[in-house]
Amino acid sequence: MIAENIRKVRERIEQKCAETKRDPEEIKLIAVSKNFGIDEINKVYDEGIRDFGENRVQELDIKFSRIRHEITWHFIGNLQRNKVRFAVGCADYIHSVDSLMLATEINKRAGSMNKIQKVLLQIKTSNEETKSGLTDYSEIKDLVSYCNDFPNLELIGLMTIGPLTNDMQLVRKSFSQLRKLRNRLNGDNFTNIKELSMGMTSDFEIAIEEGATMLRIGSAIFGERDYSKDWRESL
Ligand SMILES: *Cc1c(COP(=O)(O)O)cnc(C)c1O
């Protein structure tokens, strides 16, 4: 089942890359394993996937310490300041930096662990109240300069969550906004931010069309998440 799901997802990515003349090598597939257990992660690993995403620090921490394989971990959820220490201890990438306070804390913790933490800034590209992320251009631009000056941070990209809607034009608008923002920031700040983390199960093909370099895909790989179950039960 999982093997078949992954085969289909890869096929759709390749198909979309062929259509848009993009190189599949420049698109990283991150399997979002939240709410799924170690056995399922191992099955996905066996299909050759090495990048996994989690949105709760505690869940990441447990999986990080229990799984023996060499995995690249991506933290993609809301990060509270008091949990930064644990996130930095586990995650190769943190996709959800949305304030100077958080960037400062990550830099500090990474420094004490002798680590250069790769981060992305989370941008809000939709009008949905529930979504978090930065919106104000001058604030984002300033945060980019701060990040570049922090010795233990490496700012590698921008992340967004597309709007939850059936209107694909709105989804496309949100993704193209992220790409344009990256290009504008690179021009204004003389930086070379490369990665665009966007696209989930319902919208990853549009994300590829709009330039995504990191796809965060959960249910198309693992199957539907069972939210009636606490994540601890699946471990
Ligand atoms: C859960 C989650 C995903 C994956 O969602 P699917 O719809 O299952 O592909 C991607 N990004 C974030 C931030 C998530 O929390």
Side-chain angles (χ1 to χ4, degrees):
M1 163 76 166
I2 278 180
E4 178 64 9
N5 289 349
I6 293 172
R7 195 187 60 72
K8 281 189 195 144
V9 168
R10 283 182 168 144
E11 204 173 86
R12 285 167 64 188
I13 294 171
E14 274 164 32
Q15 175 69 30
K16 199 35 90 180
C17 283
E19 274 172 44
T20 54
K21 304 209 161 38
R22 293 198 55 194
D23 176 4
E25 290 291 308
E26 66 179 38
I27 299 177
K28 199 193 284 285
L29 171 58
I30 301 167
V32 177
S33 45
K34 65 185 185 203
N35 285 66
F36 288 97
I38 312 279
D39 290 348
E40 283 136 321
I41 293 177
N42 284 336
K43 280 183 201 148
V44 173
Y45 181 93
D46 287 342
E47 297 305 315
I49 290 184
R50 296 293 177 266
D51 289 84
F52 288 83
E54 289 286 338
N55 72 335
R56 290 181 207 90
V57 174
Q58 202 191 352
E59 189 172 348
L60 170 61
D61 195 43
I62 292 176
K63 289 174 180 174
F64 174 83
S65 58
R66 289 202 194 156
I67 294 177
R68 289 282 148 248
H69 298 303
E70 278 287 325
I71 280 178
T72 301
W73 288 106
H74 297 256
F75 185 73
I76 60 173
N78 267 339
L79 185 54
Q80 288 163 322
R81 187 182 182 170
N82 61 350
K83 296 199 174 138
V84 163
R85 181 156 64 97
F86 301 103
V88 172
C90 306
D92 298 284
Y93 295 81
I94 296 176
H95 290 232
S96 43
V97 177
D98 62 359
S99 68
L100 178 56
M101 182 273 286
L102 204 51
T104 308
E105 184 68 14
I106 294 171
N107 177 62
K108 184 178 124 192
R109 294 296 178 180
S112 68
M113 292 178 212
N114 261 322
K115 175 182 184 184
I116 310 276
Q117 180 67 56
K118 291 190 173 77
V119 300
L120 297 88
L121 299 183
Q122 182 167 353
I123 310 294
K124 185 172 158 179
T125 52
S126 68
N127 295 324
E128 288 171 23
E129 281 300 317
T130 54
K131 298 259 156 72
S132 49
L134 296 146
T135 50
D136 180 69
Y137 183 73
S138 67
E139 189 188 345
I140 298 167
K141 184 170 173 281
D142 288 348
L143 188 48
V144 169
S145 337
Y146 280 117
C147 286
N148 288 333
D149 288 342
F150 282 134
N152 292 87
L153 279 198
E154 185 185 353
L155 176 63
I156 59 136
L158 305 179
M159 180 273 232
T160 200
I161 303 174
L164 188 64
T165 169
N166 290 325
D167 183 346
M168 288 303 147
Q169 280 314 110
L170 275 181
V171 175
R172 184 179 300 283
K173 212 175 114 199
S174 137
F175 292 158
S176 76
Q177 193 183 323
L178 196 73
R179 185 190 63 245
K180 287 174 191 158
L181 176 64
R182 177 198 60 188
N183 297 348
R184 185 176 172 198
L185 285 169
N186 282 338
D188 287 352
N189 272 351
F190 306 104
T191 46
N192 186 22
I193 300 172
K194 199 169 139 267
E195 310 294 340
L196 294 175
S197 166
M198 58 190 194
M200 321 193 336
T201 292
S202 60
D203 54 21
F204 71 84
E205 279 147 323
I206 299 175
I208 295 172
E209 289 174 359
E210 296 300 329
T213 63
M214 294 174 146
L215 308 174
R216 310 180 309 267
I217 300 185
S219 33
I221 291 176
F222 288 94
E224 289 301 317
R225 282 180 295 276
D226 181 358
Y227 283 113
S228 67
K229 235 175 38 178
D230 187 277
W231 63 267
R232 291 169 192 84
E233 294 171 41
S234 57
L235 287 172

